[in-house]
Amino acid sequence: MKNIENKRLAEIIETADYQGLREFFDGMTASELKSFAKTAVAAYKKASQELTLRAAFNAMIVTCDDENLPEKISFWFVHSSTFDLTLIKSLRSTIAPAIIEKLVEQERIAPDTISMLAEEGLITTPDTDSFVKLIMKSGPQHSGDNSYHPERLSIGTTFFDHYVWRLFEVEGSNESSLAAHDKYSAPDSTWSSMLLKATEDKSLSRSRALDASLDSLDQGFAQFRAGWHSRFHEELRPTLAERFQRKEKYAHLLGSPTPSTVTMALNALIVVAKEYSLPVELILQNIEAPLFAKAKSTALSALKLIDETILTNPAAVRELSSIACSALLHHSPEVQKCAVQLIAKHNERIEDSLRMQLIEYIDALSPSVRRLIATLLNDSDVRPKDSSSLYKLSKNAPPSPLLTCSNIQPIETIDDLLASCTYLLEHLDDVIELERVLDAAVRLSDKPAEDFALRSAPILKRAHTLQKTCQNHDGVLDTLNFIAKWLGGDELEHSYSRSSMSKFMSRRFQTIMKQIEEKSRLPLLSIPTQTNGFIDPEILLKRWQKWIDTGKTPAAEDQAIALFRLPLMRFDFSNTDVYAGDFWDAVRFASKLSDNVTSPSRTESLVWLAAESVRMPPAVAASFKLDDEPLFVNLGLDTTARCALTWFPSVRAIFVATGIRALAASIDYFYSTDQGLEVYLEPLLDKSFEFDRRSYCILAAANISQSTSISGVARDITIEKIENRSLDIESFAIEINKLLFHPQAKIQRLVSSLSEVARVSSLHTNAIRQVVEAALEGGEHIPNGFALLLEFFNELLHSDNTKITNDKTVQFLQSIAKSGKTKKLVKELLAQ
Amino acid sequence: MASTSIEHTYLYPFASQLTESAAGQKLLLATSQNDSTFPYFFEGRLIKARLSAQLLLGVAKVVSTRYYIPPNVVSKLINRDPVVTAGAEMLRFEGFSACCSSYIRADFSPESYNGQFVSNGTTNVDFNQPMQAALARVRDTDRLAVSVGTNEVLLQRGLESVIERKVDLPLRWLKGFVEVQSYQSAMELRYDIGRIEALQFLRSLPRNPSQRSSFFVVSSGNGLRLSQIDSSEAVAVSGLQRLQLLTDLSPFADRLRIFTDANRQSSEWQLQFGGTALCITLTADVTRGFSGEGQVLSDLKDADFSYLPRIRAALKWQSKINIDSLSEQTSLNTDKVRIGLAIMGSTGMVGFDVFNKSYFHRELPFDLDNIEGMHPRLKNARRLLEDGKVTVLSCTTNGAELRIVSSDVTHHVKLNGEQAQCTCPWHGKYQGLRGPCKHILAARLKLADHSTTSKKHEEHRE
C-alpha cells in the first residue's frame, strides 16, 4: 500500500502536477508527511527540469525535517517563486531549519528570499556566518541613483540594524566577502559606497562604523579582505579628533601581520602625533613591530613616529632610541641610516647600554651605515686592507679538464650492469650512467649469465613501459630503444626525429649494438673517463692498442666522439706519431700538431669533420654535418642537449651560444624561463672551461634571469670564479654594461644577484665593486631603478673602503642629468 | 581496496578560546578526550605573549596548509588539529602539513612560562578559527595566561555541550608522524648561526621559487647562502615556501640551527627563541611526504616485540629519555634500548628532539594498532613470503641472491650486509633512499627465516 502511494507521489512530481501534489498531501498528519520524505528527496535528486525540480523541492519542504533530511544533498538555486507558499502553509507552520541552513551554506538562495520567508513566518532569519557571507556576496543592490535607501537592500530594512555590523565581524571567503564583491561591482553598487552614504545620511552611526572597521582589521583577516576594511576606514575620512579617540586601536594594529593595515595605522598615528601628544607608553609598547616590516616606507614611517614622540616626550628618549635600534636589522640602507640619524639627533651622548646595542647590530649594517655608527661611537671603522681581499685576475691557465672532476668507475660485473640499467631507466637524463652502461654492455657482451634473460626481464618490461610514454623525447627514446634492443632483441628502430643530433645518437647506438651482437669485447673508444665527458688520452691509447692487436677498426661514430672528447689543447699528442691512420692523423690535425689533411675524403669522413670542427670552432656548426644537416642545431632542452654536452666537450663553447639565444628571449620577452636552459650553463661550472666573450655574456644574462635556479647557478659560477681569481672583470663588466643600459634592463634582479655574490667575502666585494665600476663606464639609456644600482655601488665602495678610480665612470656619473634620489646618490658617489 | 583513511573523533569539552578579563588574556586550549577523561595538563602564563601566540599560530598554519597538490588531485581540506604533549615540564605542540611534506613542532621549556603542570600526557588540542583570529591579536604587552585542558569546574560546565568533530584522517598523514622521528634520530647539526646571520639568510630566500627547484644551503662568510651546486657540507632543500614561517619569525629568534641526515633526504630547521624553539622538518622534495619514506620499514621488519613492554613500562613522559638510565631500569643493553626506542618511534610512542639528540615520550592520540597495516610495502612483502614467491638462490658470507616472483615478472635481489640491489623500478628510482622496496623487504624476511631454519637443521644434525 505504502509502495503504491510512494510511486504515486513520484509520478505526481515527475509530471509536475501541482494540483495533484496539493491533493496528495491534503489532510496528512506530520508523521504521515515525514514518511514520504525519502521519495521526495529521491525525486529531487533525479529531477532535472525546472518544473519537476520545483515540485520535488516543495514536496521535500513539506515532508523533511531536521532529522530526516539527508546529510549529503546538493540543492539547485531557489527563487522566491520556487516556494509554493499555499501548499507549505497549509501543511506546516515552519520550514525545517536544516533545509535553510544548507541552502545558505551552498549559496543556493538569495537573502531577499530568506527575508520573504521570514516575513511569512515560515523561518527565523538565520544569524550564521554563512548567511552573512551570503549577504556579502549578494551585495547591497543599490539602485544607482546616488541616494541611499535602506529599504532597497536585498533583505529589507529589518536587516539593517543587526546585519550591517555583522558584515564587519565575518571575514568571508574567496568569493563571498566585502572585498570580493566590491572588486567586481560598479562604483555606486559597492558595499563601501552604500555604507558611506548611510553614514552621510546618518542612518548608520559614523562612530560605530569607524570602530567596526578598525576592529575588523584586528581580526587577522587575509590581506585582500583586510584591505577593504582599511580602505573603508580611510574613506570615512576620520577627523583628527576621531583619530585621537581611537589611538589605542591604531597602536594595536601596528602589530598586525597585514602590511596595508600597519601602514594605515602608522599614518593615522603620525597625523595624530603632529597635533596631539600621544601617550609614550602606547608608542613604546607597539612601535617595534613595524620596524621589522619588509616595506622600506613602513619602517621609515615608524621611525618618523618615534621621532615625533621623542620631540613631545624627551624623557622617553632612552627607551625609544633603544627600540629604534631594531630598524638597524632592516635590509634597506636607507632605513638603517635613518635609524642612526634619529639616534644621533636625540642622543648627545651615547649611553653604554645603547652603545652595546649598536655594536651588537654592527654586522647587520650596510657598509655606509657602519661608518656612520663608527662616527657616532667615536670609533674607527677603517679596517686595514688585507691584500688577499684585492681581486686580481690570475694569469694561470685553467686546469686540465682531466683534473677538475672525478674519474668514472667502469662497471665490472653483469649484476652491477643490470643494477645500473635499473637505475638508468629511472634517471634517463644521467648521461654519464648511460655511457657506463654502453661501455659495460660491450665489454661484458661475451659472458652473459646463464639466466641473463630471466634476470633482465623486469628491466626490459620497464623499458617497454617507458617507451610507450616517452614518444616525444628524442634522447630518452633513443636510450630506451637501445636498452630494449639489447635486452630483448627488439628491432632497433631508426630515429624519425627531425633532430640531427638524435639521428646521430641513434646511429651511435646502432654501431654499439652491432658490436654487442658480435660479442666483440673490444672497448669503445668514445667512453669518457671523466664525469665532465673528457677522455684521458693515456687510456684512449690503451683502448686503441687493443683494436690494433685484433686488426679491427672502431666505428666512425665512435672515433668521431672519441676525438671530440679529447682535451686536445691540454695534452701533448706528439707521442702518438707511432700510430698511423685517419684517426690519429685527425687527432694531430685537431690539436694543431700537424696541418696535414691526409684523408682524400675529408668532407665525408666523420672523424675528419670532427677534427676540423675542433680546430676551427667558429665554423663548427656548419662543418660537422650528418647527412648534410648541421649537427649542433635544434638541440632542445632535454636529454639530447645534455648528451651533446658530454659527447662534444672539446667544442662545448658552441652550446653556450645556443644558451644565450634562448636565455635572451626569455629575458626580453618576459617569457617564463625554461628550467631546461640550465643545461647550457653546465659547461661553465667546470673549472677547466675557458671563458670567452660569449661565456661572460651568458653568465651576465643568467644573473638576471627570473628563474631562481638559473640565476642561482650564475651566482655560484661567479662566486667560484672570483674565488679562483679567474673572473675577467673587464669582460664581465662589458656584458653587464650591455644589460644595464638596455631598455628592458632588470636592475633589481642584477643588484640582488650581485649583492649575494659580494656578501660572500671581502675578496668578492672587491671584485664585484670593480665589475660595477667598470660596467658604469657609460651608456645611453638610463634605465628605471638606476638609483638602486647606484645605492648598491655606494655600499660596495664603503665596504671596500675605496673611491671611484675609473675616470670614465666618474665622467659618466657626472654626465647623468637626473633629479631626486639618483642625483643625490651621484653626488654622494663623487664626493667619496 | 584497502581504506586510505581512518575515522577519528575529536571530542572537546568546549571550543578553545581566548578570553579577556581585567587580569589579562587567558588562552583556554581544549584537549580531546582520552579514554574517559579530558586531559588537564597545564596552567600558567607564557612569558613572551606575542611570540608564543605566533608560534601556536605557526603550528596551526602548517597543519592547515597543503604545500603540494599532485596534478589531477582535488585538494580536500581536512580540519586536523595539532597534538600537544606535556611531560617533564615541557609543552610540545606538533603537527603535519596536509601534504605530509612538512612537520612542525613548537617546544616550550620552563624558561618560557610561569606555571605548573597538572598532569602529563598527549592529546589533540582544538585550534579553531576564532581562537586563531584571537591569537593573532595578542601583543607583547598582553598578559597571556594559558590553560591546556581545564579544571573540573569548567569541565563540568563544558560537558553539557561537548564538541564532537569526526574527521577522516588519511593514513598517509598518520604515517608521517611515525616516519619523521626515524629521520630526525639520524640527523646531525650542520649549521648553527646567530640572530643577524639568520635574519639575513632567511630574508634572502626567494619569495616565489618554483616548487621543483632544488637548492643547497652552504656557508658564506659568517652566514649562509643558497647555492645550486651540491657539496659535501651542503644541506639540500626544495619547496622553500615551507620555510616562509621561519622568515616571518626570524626577527625574534636568537639562533637558527639546521640539521640533516647523512643521505640528505630530510632537514630540520630550528629557530631558538630563548626558552622556546620552533622546529620545521622537511622532506627532500615538496612532492614527497614523510608518509612514503619507508625509513621505519626495516625497524618494523626486524622488530623483536618481546622486550618492548619493558621499555614501554619505563616511559614516564620524560622530555629527554636517557638511554643509559633506561637500560638500567629495563636490564636491557643500550643497543637493545636504542633499537627498542626506534621501534617505539615507528609506532608513535616516542618523538625525537634533534637538538637534545634524545627521544621524548609521547603517545599519539590516534588508533595506531594497525601501524604495520599502514605500510603497504611491508604488508606486500609479507604476502610475497606467505605465497612462496621468494626463493633463495645463494646465501654465503659474501651475501645472498634471491629471486622474487612478482605479478608478471621475476625480480632479482642481491643482498650484501646493509647494501641491497633489486631490479624493480622503485629501487631503480630511489636506490634505497626512501626505504627498501617490497622485494628487498621480502628477501630480508626470507633470509631471516632461512638462517633460523638452517640453524635448526644443523642443531638437529648434531
Side-chain angles (χ1 to χ4, degrees):
Chain A
M1 190 67 185
K2 190 76 188 165
N3 281 348
I4 295 168
E5 285 186 348
N6 275 320
K7 209 174 165 189
R8 211 179 112 223
L9 175 61
E11 280 168 9
I12 290 171
I13 293 172
E14 182 71 38
T15 51
D17 175 6
Y18 286 92
Q19 187 55 37
L21 201 63
R22 284 187 195 122
E23 284 167 8
F24 181 82
F25 287 126
D26 190 32
M28 282 194 190
T29 63
S31 60
E32 282 170 340
L33 284 169
K34 273 187 193 177
S35 65
F36 290 102
K38 266 192 179 176
T39 309
V41 169
Y44 185 71
K45 284 182 177 171
K46 197 179 153 196
S48 57
Q49 288 182 344
E50 201 182 332
L51 289 174
T52 324
L53 268 172
R54 184 171 179 248
F57 179 74
N58 282 291
M60 265 170 64
I61 291 279
V62 293
T63 58
C64 285
D65 261 327
D66 285 6
E67 297 81 38
N68 59 12
L69 185 75
E71 188 67 29
K72 288 177 184 171
I73 181 162
S74 298
F75 282 101
W76 295 84
F77 196 88
V78 293
H79 300 276
S80 52
S81 58
T82 312
F83 292 87
D84 186 343
L85 294 177
T86 320
L87 173 75
I88 297 167
K89 278 184 169 178
S90 68
L91 296 165
R92 306 186 60 118
S93 55
T94 56
I95 296 173
I99 295 180
I100 300 301
E101 210 173 284
K102 282 192 192 299
L103 282 168
V104 169
E105 258 176 33
Q106 295 173 18
E107 299 183 353
R108 299 295 186 189
I109 190 166
D112 53 356
T113 309
I114 295 276
S115 182
M116 181 270 289
L117 293 173
E119 278 169 24
E120 294 288 343
L122 286 170
I123 61 163
T124 328
T125 315
D127 195 16
T128 57
D129 286 1
S130 302
F131 184 55
V132 178
K133 279 198 268 181
L134 194 68
I135 295 173
M136 284 175 174
K137 193 176 183 182
S138 303
Q141 298 185 356
H142 189 251
S143 62
D145 62 359
N146 284 332
S147 60
Y148 162 71
H149 304 289
E151 63 275 12
R152 285 187 189 163
L153 283 171
S154 56
I155 199 160
T157 48
T158 49
F159 142 85
F160 202 70
D161 290 338
H162 177 71
Y163 287 101
V164 75
W165 303 117
R166 290 278 284 134
L167 293 175
F168 289 89
E169 290 167 10
V170 177
E171 179 177 8
S173 56
N174 285 352
E175 289 174 1
S176 312
S177 69
L178 297 172
H181 176 271
D182 282 10
K183 188 176 177 183
Y184 301 107
S185 301
D188 58 350
S189 301
T190 59
W191 277 111
S192 63
S193 66
M194 187 282 271
L195 294 171
L196 279 172
K197 283 196 179 78
T199 55
E200 284 162 16
D201 295 354
K202 298 204 187 324
S203 49
L204 192 71
S205 160
R206 173 181 168 80
S207 171
R208 197 168 168 192
L210 283 167
D211 285 333
S213 54
L214 291 181
D215 291 342
S216 309
L217 292 171
D218 213 1
Q219 298 289 323
F221 291 172
Q223 188 162 343
F224 171 65
R225 295 187 277 274
W228 184 91
H229 293 277
S230 53
R231 282 193 302 277
F232 176 67
H233 183 81
E234 288 305 303
E235 281 166 7
L236 285 168
R237 298 185 185 281
T239 62
L240 205 56
E242 282 172 333
R243 287 199 194 274
F244 182 67
Q245 272 176 6
R246 290 165 181 81
K247 56 187 177 298
E248 283 86 5
K249 285 185 195 267
Y250 287 125
H252 204 258
L253 289 177
L254 294 182
S256 166
T258 311
S260 59
T261 304
V262 178
T263 309
M264 188 276 288
L266 206 46
N267 290 340
L269 286 171
I270 289 172
V271 171
V272 174
K274 281 183 181 159
E275 294 296 324
Y276 295 94
S277 171
L278 286 170
V280 71
E281 282 302 313
L282 201 66
I283 303 299
L284 281 172
Q285 287 167 6
N286 296 289
I287 199 63
E288 193 173 15
L291 293 174
F292 293 124
K294 273 182 201 153
K296 192 167 73 174
S297 56
T298 308
L300 287 172
S301 298
L303 286 169
K304 197 174 170 189
L305 185 58
I306 291 177
D307 190 31
E308 296 278 357
T309 312
I310 295 177
L311 289 174
T312 49
N313 302 277
V317 66
R318 222 171 89 186
E319 288 146 299
L320 284 166
S321 298
S322 172
I323 291 174
C325 281
S326 297
L328 298 176
L329 293 176
H330 202 277
H331 60 87
S332 159
E334 201 179 335
V335 174
Q336 295 176 1
K337 201 170 171 182
C338 184
V340 176
Q341 284 166 346
L342 184 140
I343 291 165
K345 179 180 164 187
H346 296 292
N347 294 272
E348 277 182 28
R349 195 185 136 266
I350 304 293
E351 290 192 4
D352 286 350
S353 58
L354 191 57
R355 174 182 287 269
M356 293 299 289
Q357 219 176 336
L358 290 171
I359 290 170
E360 187 198 336
Y361 290 156
I362 211 141
D363 284 338
L365 297 175
S366 306
S368 62
V369 184
R370 210 178 290 155
R371 186 166 285 187
L372 279 178
I373 292 263
T375 317
L376 189 67
L377 301 177
N378 296 321
D379 206 356
S380 170
D381 182 51
V382 184
R383 297 171 186 179
K385 201 153 192 168
D386 181 2
S387 61
S388 65
S389 64
L390 289 174
Y391 181 83
K392 270 188 185 169
L393 181 66
S394 165
K395 284 175 186 165
N396 297 336
S400 159
L402 301 179
L403 303 173
T404 55
C405 61
S406 50
N407 297 338
I408 295 173
Q409 297 302 319
I411 295 168
E412 298 295 346
T413 65
I414 289 284
D415 279 345
D416 288 345
L417 175 57
L418 292 178
S420 279
C421 275
T422 311
Y423 168 86
L424 181 64
L425 286 178
E426 309 305 323
H427 303 86
L428 286 159
D429 58 347
D430 189 339
V431 289
I432 294 298
E433 194 63 24
L434 170 63
E435 294 291 327
R436 290 180 76 223
V437 167
L438 294 176
D439 168 54
V442 172
R443 275 192 298 106
L444 306 174
S445 58
D446 65 334
K447 44 179 178 183
E450 283 174 18
D451 54 355
F452 184 76
L454 186 64
R455 285 185 186 213
S456 59
I459 305 168
L460 180 62
K461 187 187 167 214
R462 180 68 179 153
H464 283 150
T465 309
L466 291 171
Q467 269 177 315
K468 287 173 196 158
T469 55
C470 294
Q471 299 292 340
N472 298 324
H473 297 80
D474 288 347
V476 170
L477 197 59
D478 288 326
T479 307
L480 289 171
N481 284 343
F482 171 78
I483 291 176
K485 165 73 177 165
W486 168 49
L487 296 176
D490 298 357
E491 191 58 38
L492 190 57
E493 290 175 17
H494 288 282
S495 176
Y496 296 105
S497 164
R498 288 171 61 194
S499 154
S500 47
M501 181 65 211
S502 183
K503 282 181 191 166
F504 188 70
M505 281 175 85
S506 180
R507 261 173 69 162
R508 185 183 181 217
F509 285 142
Q510 278 178 328
T511 59
I512 293 173
M513 199 60 241
K514 199 176 161 199
Q515 208 175 321
I516 294 171
E517 282 166 355
E518 287 168 359
K519 297 198 173 168
S520 154
R521 292 189 65 241
L522 288 169
L524 290 171
L525 282 189
S526 59
I527 299 299
T529 59
Q530 315 302 123
T531 50
N532 57 3
F534 280 93
I535 300 175
D536 183 342
E538 300 286 0
I539 293 175
L540 184 79
L541 283 168
K542 286 178 189 164
R543 289 177 187 165
W544 187 259
Q545 191 59 50
K546 285 185 182 171
W547 281 91
I548 288 179
D549 293 347
T550 58
K552 291 182 178 174
T553 312
E557 290 80 8
D558 198 27
Q559 290 186 40
I561 296 176
L563 192 146
F564 274 118
R565 279 183 158 159
L566 285 172
L568 290 161
M569 305 303 161
R570 310 301 300 271
F571 188 81
D572 182 6
F573 285 92
S574 51
N575 62 346
T576 62
D577 284 349
V578 289
Y579 297 108
D582 256 7
F583 178 73
W584 289 105
D585 285 344
V587 167
R588 285 185 285 272
F589 174 77
S591 62
K592 298 185 182 171
L593 273 177
S594 149
D595 295 329
N596 298 332
V597 177
T598 54
S599 171
S601 56
R602 173 184 171 180
T603 52
E604 288 163 22
S605 158
L606 215 49
V607 71
W608 275 103
L609 284 172
E612 193 160 285
S613 304
V614 176
R615 186 164 166 154
M616 292 172 282
V620 73
S623 64
F624 194 63
K625 289 178 182 173
L626 184 77
D627 302 336
D628 287 335
E629 279 184 58
L631 199 62
F632 303 124
V633 292
N634 299 329
L635 289 174
L637 299 168
D638 57 11
T639 311
T640 318
R642 190 158 269 121
C643 276
L645 275 166
T646 60
W647 284 12
F648 310 103
S650 59
V651 290
R652 55 192 173 177
I654 62 156
F655 299 105
V656 169
T658 312
I660 291 170
R661 283 193 292 276
L663 199 57
S666 80
I667 292 166
D668 279 359
Y669 302 109
F670 304 96
Y671 290 158
S672 58
T673 317
D674 199 320
Q675 296 294 319
L677 274 173
E678 273 174 62
V679 72
Y680 293 105
L681 282 171
E682 280 171 16
L684 274 62
L685 287 165
D686 189 346
K687 285 176 191 153
S688 67
F689 186 83
E690 289 190 48
F691 269 59
D692 60 5
R693 187 187 58 76
R694 284 185 299 199
S695 321
Y696 282 108
C697 177
I698 198 170
L699 183 62
N703 261 293
I704 61 165
S705 166
Q706 60 182 322
S707 152
T708 45
S709 43
I710 289 178
S711 62
V713 173
R715 263 198 305 277
D716 286 333
I717 296 166
T718 315
I719 289 169
E720 198 169 280
K721 284 195 78 67
I722 294 173
E723 263 160 21
N724 303 332
R725 295 178 186 263
S726 59
L727 184 87
D728 182 349
I729 300 285
E730 200 184 325
S731 305
F732 192 38
I734 288 170
E735 302 306 324
I736 295 274
N737 176 284
K738 285 180 197 163
L739 295 171
L740 260 184
F741 297 99
H742 190 272
Q744 288 170 348
K746 302 281 175 278
I747 302 288
Q748 170 80 54
R749 287 190 216 157
L750 180 72
V751 168
S752 159
S753 197
L754 293 184
S755 62
E756 272 283 300
V757 178
R759 211 160 59 87
V760 173
S761 74
S762 50
L763 178 73
H764 291 81
T765 308
N766 183 268
I768 294 299
R769 195 267 302 158
Q770 291 185 46
V771 170
V772 177
E773 189 168 329
L776 285 173
E777 279 186 6
E780 284 177 9
H781 174 84
I782 304 292
N784 289 334
F786 193 60
L788 197 64
L789 181 76
L790 294 182
E791 192 177 38
F792 173 55
F793 183 40
N794 188 32
E795 293 304 329
L796 286 170
L797 288 170
H798 276 286
S799 182
D800 212 19
N801 196 21
T802 188
K803 58 181 180 179
I804 306 171
T805 50
N806 188 327
D807 292 339
K808 283 185 185 168
T809 307
V810 173
Q811 280 170 19
F812 170 68
L813 289 175
Q814 283 168 341
S815 71
I816 295 176
K818 274 266 179 181
S819 57
K821 198 173 171 187
T822 305
K823 192 178 172 186
K824 198 176 148 192
L825 280 162
V826 167
K827 202 176 158 188
E828 200 175 325
L829 283 166
L830 295 174
Q832 281 188 37
Chain B
M1 200 174 124
S3 171
T4 55
S5 64
I6 59 161
E7 190 180 78
H8 181 76
T9 306
Y10 295 122
L11 207 59
Y12 298 113
F14 57 94
S16 290
Q17 55 197 285
L18 188 72
T19 59
E20 298 227 19
S21 70
Q25 293 175 314
K26 181 156 189 178
L27 179 64
L28 286 167
L29 292 173
T31 51
S32 182
Q33 191 180 47
N34 276 352
D35 305 322
S36 59
T37 56
F38 294 99
Y40 177 31
F41 293 142
F42 175 80
E43 192 74 41
R45 192 172 67 82
L46 295 176
I47 291 170
K48 289 183 177 172
R50 185 180 183 211
L51 175 67
S52 304
Q54 293 295 320
L55 293 181
L56 292 176
L57 277 174
V59 173
K61 192 175 175 186
V62 170
V63 170
S64 61
T65 305
R66 183 182 275 276
Y67 294 104
Y68 174 71
I69 302 172
N72 306 324
V73 168
V74 179
S75 163
K76 191 177 158 192
L77 208 69
I78 297 165
N79 193 5
R80 306 172 183 90
D81 285 335
V83 170
V84 62
T85 299
E89 304 198 317
M90 283 286 283
L91 261 182
R92 298 178 200 266
F93 294 84
E94 56 185 319
F96 252 95
S97 65
C99 57
C100 303
S101 72
S102 189
Y103 163 81
I104 185 166
R105 200 180 68 233
D107 293 344
F108 293 86
S109 73
E111 294 162 50
S112 61
Y113 59 79
N114 288 323
Q116 57 174 343
F117 280 81
V118 184
S119 62
N120 299 319
T122 310
T123 188
N124 286 107
V125 61
D126 176 37
F127 266 45
N128 57 63
Q129 204 56 48
M131 190 271 279
Q132 288 183 42
L135 273 181
R137 293 196 293 273
V138 173
R139 302 288 183 264
D140 269 338
T141 47
D142 297 331
R143 283 174 60 83
L144 184 62
V146 173
S147 161
V148 184
T150 190
N151 62 31
E152 280 182 25
V153 179
L154 272 171
L155 193 64
Q156 279 163 7
R157 193 195 69 184
L159 273 174
E160 289 164 12
S161 54
V162 167
I163 296 168
E164 187 176 320
R165 194 149 45 86
K166 283 186 178 161
V167 287
D168 277 338
L169 292 182
L171 286 181
R172 58 192 297 272
W173 191 77
L174 292 172
K175 276 162 65 185
F177 262 112
V178 297
E179 283 282 349
V180 70
Q181 56 76 35
S182 179
Y183 269 125
Q184 287 172 316
S185 60
M187 283 183 184
E188 293 290 338
L189 177 67
R190 197 54 67 91
Y191 297 115
D192 183 355
I193 54 172
R195 181 188 184 190
I196 288 161
E197 288 78 17
L199 192 69
Q200 284 174 339
F201 169 64
L202 290 170
R203 277 182 178 167
S204 73
L205 298 181
R207 284 183 200 165
N208 300 306
S210 150
Q211 278 193 336
R212 305 308 292 263
S213 298
S214 297
F215 299 93
F216 301 95
V217 180
V218 294
S219 61
S220 170
N222 295 330
L224 300 173
R225 71 176 176 88
L226 283 186
S227 169
Q228 294 293 121
I229 304 174
D230 194 4
S231 63
S232 56
E233 81 278 7
V235 173
V237 62
S238 77
L240 290 179
Q241 66 274 31
R242 296 180 290 174
L243 295 175
Q244 183 58 47
L245 183 64
L246 296 185
T247 311
D248 297 343
L249 291 168
S250 59
F252 315 105
D254 301 326
R255 302 206 75 75
L256 168 68
R257 298 190 183 96
I258 309 175
F259 302 81
T260 190
D261 64 302
N263 291 324
R264 296 183 303 164
Q265 293 302 298
S266 71
S267 58
E268 178 157 313
W269 301 64
Q270 208 177 78
L271 277 184
Q272 190 74 39
F273 313 85
T276 321
L278 184 79
C279 317
I280 293 183
T281 314
L282 308 177
T283 51
D285 194 323
V286 72
T287 58
R288 280 164 58 173
F290 277 104
S291 51
E293 294 301 291
Q295 299 299 313
V296 299
L297 291 174
S298 299
D299 292 341
L300 286 171
K301 168 191 70 61
D302 297 332
D304 171 6
F305 293 98
S306 62
Y307 64 84
L308 290 185
R310 280 152 77 186
I311 298 180
R312 189 170 183 174
L315 296 179
K316 306 277 185 231
W317 301 103
Q318 299 93 321
S319 61
K320 278 186 205 174
I321 296 174
N322 184 312
I323 289 181
D324 290 333
S325 64
L326 204 62
S327 162
E328 257 179 49
Q329 281 178 57
T330 55
S331 309
L332 293 166
N333 66 37
T334 50
D335 282 344
K336 270 198 162 174
V337 171
R338 198 171 283 115
I339 294 167
L341 284 171
I343 297 167
M344 300 201 83
S346 65
T347 53
M349 278 184 267
V350 288
F352 196 83
D353 184 332
V354 180
F355 178 60
N356 290 315
K357 290 190 86 59
S358 65
Y359 286 94
F360 62 88
H361 182 201
R362 63 110 155 82
E363 292 187 5
L364 288 176
F366 309 113
D367 178 16
L368 297 174
D369 287 346
N370 189 26
I371 191 79
E372 191 182 309
M374 286 192 208
H375 295 286
R377 267 185 269 167
L378 187 55
K379 215 163 74 178
N380 292 339
R382 291 202 196 280
R383 193 173 299 153
L384 284 170
L385 209 62
E386 282 162 17
D387 295 350
K389 301 278 176 78
V390 187
T391 316
V392 180
L393 297 177
S394 69
C395 182
T396 65
T397 47
N398 293 331
E401 284 188 53
L402 297 97
R403 188 167 286 163
I404 290 132
V405 181
S406 202
S407 48
D408 55 351
V409 77
T410 302
H411 287 292
H412 196 82
V413 171
K414 212 175 154 186
L415 301 173
N416 190 355
E418 287 300 302
Q419 302 291 318
Q421 279 179 5
C422 178
T423 47
C424 76
W426 171 273
H427 183 78
K429 192 165 186 179
Y430 299 111
Q431 300 288 300
L433 292 175
R434 296 186 73 181
C437 63
K438 64 179 177 184
H439 311 107
I440 291 174
L441 276 172
R444 289 203 187 277
L445 286 166
K446 177 74 179 178
L447 275 191
D449 191 35
H450 185 74
S451 60
T452 318
T453 320
S454 304
K455 267 183 194 170
K456 279 183 187 166
H457 277 300
E458 275 170 30
E459 280 168 11
H460 184 70
R461 246 181 260 153
E462 280 167 12

